[in-house]
Amino acid sequence: AYTDPHCQGKQVIVHLFEWKWSDIANECERYLGKKGFCGVQVSPPNEHVVVTQPMRPWWERYQPVSYKLHSRGGTEAEFKDMVTRCKNVGVRVYVDSVVNHMAGLGRQGSGSGGTSFNSDNFDFPGVPFRREHFNSRDKCPSHDGNINNYGDPNNVRNCFLVGLTDLDQSQEYVRTKIAEFYNHCIDVGVAGFRIDAAKHMWPGDIKAIQDKTKDLPEGGRPFFYHEVIDQNDGAIKVGEYTPLGYVTEFRYCQKIAEGIRNFGMLHGVYDPGWGMTDSAHAFVFVDNHDNQRGHGGGGNLITHKHPRDYKMAVAFTLAYNYGFTRVMSSYYFQSSDQGPPHNGDYSAKDVTINADGSCGNGWVCEHRWNPIGNMVAFRNAVAGTGVDNWRNENEEVSFSRGQKGFFAMAKSGHMDRTLHTGLPAGEYCELVSDCKKKITVDGSGNAHIVIDNSAEPVIAFIVGGPT
Ligand code: LAG
Ligand code: CA
């Protein structure tokens, strides 16, 4: 239940963090559709606070003012246009939904859509939510009303997360308002939702809200993935949420970073003994918009700031058979609060595309890097197969996926070996080089594998790939 992303079996979504709707629509049409992406996670589309101190940080979008679809990403009309244009090229939209809380205490004024609000009075007329719809102090065991004890589920779920006014989802009215927001998105053509701060809501309340959502217009239940940061460090476990859809597996970020530092560890990137959730429920990523800048669940991980390691980490993740994968697409930043590249009026800058396919105007576009974007076709092609012919020595790793694909990566950037690929005989196009290299598999399934690109030390090929 809730685990079908509704994209014809495709396997990879991309988070176009802080992109505006018109740019996302263009990207669906000019790149994502052709490359086989299943969909896009968009930044929260509903009305949010406008923060001026610091000036327009990215995180203002995690402080809702109403469920009107008017955000820094664009207007409702622009949102609808994006969803439709993406869907028309086979790319679905997944909404980052912030429903644990509304804006932080101390904030008031008017939101990104012009609706007034006052957090200290718990007044959000745009929904409307009033004081009685929020968790009151008697349900929260913390002395100052804020979350401060991750060992106590009542503290984690009924208190205020960093001062954000905490909604009481046990109430029928609150559930209904959230479900109406979801249903509005579903009417527009959205295929699913990330549930922000799911860890801070009771699984039973989330289920009650899900039960109020409609089927998609084309049939089937919406896709849900729950943001639960479980690093074996508190009372809340991802397993409480697996009956409700996919769950974010933050331990994978640590495991893959460790595996890239020391290839010998790559066999253990999925470590059930460490509590990591099963592949059918694990929502997997190398980094996300929080931990790449030291927010939520930060720590030892790899980001675009180390491009070579990052390419290896994402390429491996897409080649391997663990979980449902999301690729991060970032903007360059110096400070951890800094919002997207902006114009003089603080609107997000256009994403421009350079002649070589990379992005301009301060957008990183990791999803367009060859060892990332071109590996989407690999993951789609090998879906449902296991890992075979595993070889992992001398800081090299290689394996096949069933009889459908073969992947190899060498930390040094150089490898020259004859390996058993398990694939049918034939000449294959190497994906990462855009077919500039060819690989011949002989009648016994062996191939001469050469890696000679130090910056992108990865090769991959699939049955039925480009020729
Ligand atoms: C999340 N997952 O559970 C998001 O992935 C994460 O990005 C959100 O925090 C968080 N939950 C709440 O939706 C982000 C920033 C916070 C920011 C918060 C609200 O990481 O730093 O807090 O969004 O905008 C900010 C200030 C705090 C302040 C708070 C309330 O940084 O100092 O207390 O606003 O005004
Ligand atoms: Ca809560």
Side-chain angles (χ1 to χ4, degrees):
Y2 303 118
T3 51
D4 178 359
H6 299 283
C7 57
Q8 285 86 48
K10 291 180 274 185
Q11 301 291 325
V12 184
I13 73 175
V14 57
H15 182 194
L16 297 179
F17 177 52
E18 286 284 11
W19 285 41
K20 55 187 159 69
W21 307 154
S22 52
D23 280 321
I24 294 178
N26 291 337
E27 189 69 352
C28 285
E29 292 173 347
R30 72 192 161 202
Y31 185 82
L32 301 175
K34 290 174 198 134
K35 289 287 179 175
F37 280 85
C38 160
V40 184
Q41 177 186 316
V42 302
S43 285
N46 60 300
E47 183 171 19
H48 53 84
V49 300
V50 176
V51 173
T52 50
Q53 225 177 5
M55 198 59 184
R56 307 302 307 273
W58 61 271
W59 45 257
E60 66 178 28
R61 299 182 72 168
Y62 292 88
Q63 301 198 31
V65 164
S66 80
Y67 298 132
K68 294 177 187 157
L69 298 178
H70 195 136
S71 68
R72 197 178 196 176
T75 62
E76 173 156 0
E78 288 163 335
F79 183 78
K80 287 180 173 161
D81 179 63
M82 165 188 73
V83 172
T84 306
R85 286 169 59 194
C86 288
K87 199 173 173 185
N88 285 343
V89 292
V91 180
R92 306 309 305 262
V93 167
Y94 307 96
V95 158
D96 188 354
S97 69
V98 185
V99 298
N100 170 64
H101 54 264
M102 299 296 282
L105 290 171
R107 300 189 187 274
Q108 57 179 290
S110 92
S112 53
T115 310
S116 68
F117 72 100
N118 184 323
S119 295
D120 289 346
N121 294 339
F122 297 89
D123 190 26
F124 295 91
V127 180
F129 282 139
R130 290 179 300 276
R131 187 181 298 266
E132 72 232 47
H133 302 126
F134 291 84
N135 278 320
S136 58
R137 290 295 293 275
D138 51 289
K139 279 177 120 183
C140 156
S142 114
H143 61 91
D144 65 354
N146 283 318
I147 297 172
N148 56 14
N149 177 7
Y150 278 87
D152 174 6
N154 286 296
N155 185 299
V156 176
R157 291 172 173 150
N158 294 347
C159 299
F160 286 22
L161 174 64
V162 296
L164 298 160
T165 53
D166 203 54
L167 285 164
D168 179 1
Q169 293 87 4
S170 72
Q171 297 180 32
E172 185 63 18
Y173 175 84
V174 174
R175 292 174 176 177
T176 300
K177 286 296 159 186
I178 294 170
E180 282 172 4
F181 165 46
Y182 286 165
N183 285 336
H184 183 193
C185 292
I186 290 168
D187 286 339
V188 167
V190 163
F193 304 89
R194 168 187 188 260
I195 300 199
D196 177 74
K199 178 179 184 173
H200 302 284
M201 294 186 271
W202 297 93
D205 292 343
I206 294 178
K207 180 176 188 313
I209 293 164
Q210 289 178 313
D211 286 346
K212 289 179 183 293
T213 61
K214 12 172 125 174
D215 286 349
L216 302 188
E218 64 273 21
R221 303 298 292 147
F223 183 58
F224 278 97
Y225 50 109
H226 303 273
E227 198 232 5
V228 179
I229 305 178
D230 172 1
Q231 309 200 103
N232 303 333
D233 51 358
I236 314 290
K237 303 283 173 219
V238 290
E240 298 173 54
Y241 296 83
T242 45
L244 311 178
Y246 275 89
V247 295
T248 54
E249 186 43 91
F250 279 80
R251 284 163 290 205
Y252 184 80
C253 304
Q254 294 182 50
K255 282 287 181 184
I256 188 64
E258 196 173 87
I260 296 303
R261 272 196 304 277
N262 171 5
F263 271 27
M265 305 292 280
L266 282 170
H267 73 278
V269 286
Y270 166 40
D271 186 352
W274 200 37
M276 291 174 75
T277 202
D278 63 301
S279 184
H281 294 98
F283 190 87
V284 165
F285 42 96
V286 173
D287 65 327
N288 79 349
H289 75 279
D290 279 322
N291 64 18
Q292 71 169 199
R293 47 179 48 68
H295 283 240
N300 220 334
L301 44 95
I302 307 177
T303 74
H304 67 85
K305 294 192 177 183
H306 296 97
R308 186 175 188 274
D309 284 353
Y310 195 69
K311 287 168 184 171
M312 291 193 283
V314 180
F316 179 88
T317 301
L318 295 176
Y320 201 59
N321 67 343
Y322 182 55
F324 187 81
T325 44
R326 175 183 61 197
V327 165
M328 180 69 204
S329 188
S330 315
Y331 53 83
Y332 294 101
F333 60 89
Q334 270 81 48
S335 108
S336 70
D337 290 329
Q338 192 180 322
H342 61 82
N343 301 307
D345 63 357
Y346 280 89
S347 59
K349 269 194 184 170
D350 292 346
V351 177
T352 52
I353 308 298
N354 303 319
D356 65 358
S358 64
C359 295
N361 266 349
W363 301 95
V364 184
C365 288
E366 299 93 308
H367 70 288
R368 281 175 166 261
W369 295 356
N370 269 6
I372 298 177
N374 288 1
M375 283 301 290
V376 171
F378 184 96
R379 194 171 189 82
N380 288 340
V382 304
T385 65
V387 170
D388 300 306
N389 298 303
W390 174 263
R391 179 180 173 275
N392 185 197
E393 49 193 77
N394 308 324
E395 299 289 314
E396 298 172 4
V397 64
S398 56
F399 54 90
S400 56
R401 292 290 308 276
Q403 294 177 349
K404 297 200 168 156
F406 188 82
F407 174 83
M409 185 163 90
K411 197 166 188 173
S412 69
H414 299 283
M415 176 166 156
D416 187 335
R417 271 178 211 291
T418 296
L419 294 173
H420 187 67
T421 68
L423 267 57
E427 186 174 76
Y428 293 83
C429 146
E430 196 284 307
L431 294 171
V432 177
S433 66
D434 276 326
C435 290
K436 283 184 196 70
K437 293 183 212 163
K438 307 274 185 201
I439 289 137
T440 306
V441 174
D442 69 19
S444 38
N446 295 330
H448 184 202
I449 302 294
V450 178
I451 293 179
D452 55 3
N453 181 339
S454 316
E456 302 182 346
V458 174
I459 63 120
F461 50 97
I462 48 176
V463 172
T467 42

